[in-house]
C-alpha cells in the first residue's frame, strides 16, 4: 500500500537496485541518509549533505546510469510541458 504524500512533500523515486543497495548499508549510515532524503523531499538541504560536483573522472558507470535514468523518468513524468 502506498502512503499519501504530505502537501509539500516530493515523491522519492528509486532507480534500479538503489533502494536494495541503500538497505544494505549499516544502520547508522541508513539513518543519516534517510534523514537527508526526508529533508530533501520537503525542499530542504540536510546539514550533512554535500553539493554534487558533477561527473568527473573515475565515476562508477552505475552512478552515471542511475542519474541518466532518473533525469529521463523526471522528464517523462514530472516536468512541466512548455507551451
Amino acid at each position: 500500500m502506498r502512503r499519501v504524500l504530505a502537501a509539500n512533500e516530493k515523491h522519492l523515486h528509486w532507480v534500479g537496485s538503489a533502494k536494495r543497495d541503500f538497505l544494505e548499508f549499516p544502520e547508522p549510515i541508513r539513518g543519516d541518509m534517510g534523514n537527508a532524503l526526508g529533508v530533501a523531499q520537503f525542499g530542504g538541504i540536510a546539514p550533512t549533505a554535500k553539493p554534487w560536483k558533477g561527473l568527473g573522472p573515475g565515476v562508477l558507470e552505475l552512478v552515471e546510469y542511475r542519474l541518466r535514468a532518473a533525469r529521463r523518468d523526471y522528464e517523462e513524468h514530472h516536468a512541466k510541458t512548455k507551451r
Side-chain angles (χ1 to χ4, degrees):
M1 176 183 276
R2 291 185 134 176
R3 108 181 144 73
V4 177
L5 297 176
N8 59 344
E9 182 180 7
K10 295 179 178 106
H11 174 73
L12 179 60
H13 179 74
W14 298 93
V15 178
S17 65
K19 185 173 183 180
R20 185 173 46 248
D21 297 344
F22 171 78
L23 293 173
E24 291 180 7
F25 291 151
E27 173 53 37
I29 303 294
R30 281 196 321 262
D32 190 43
M33 288 177 62
N35 287 333
L37 288 170
V39 170
Q41 281 183 271
F42 286 94
I45 298 174
T48 57
K50 305 233 189 260
W52 175 257
K53 302 278 187 195
L55 297 174
V59 174
L60 296 174
E61 288 179 14
L62 181 59
V63 173
E64 189 174 1
Y65 165 78
R66 286 181 178 164
L67 181 58
R68 280 196 316 267
R71 284 181 176 152
R72 196 169 41 249
D73 179 73
Y74 177 81
E75 290 298 322
E76 291 174 7
H77 297 101
H78 304 289
K80 295 180 181 178
T81 57
K82 294 181 181 179
R83 294 182 186 237

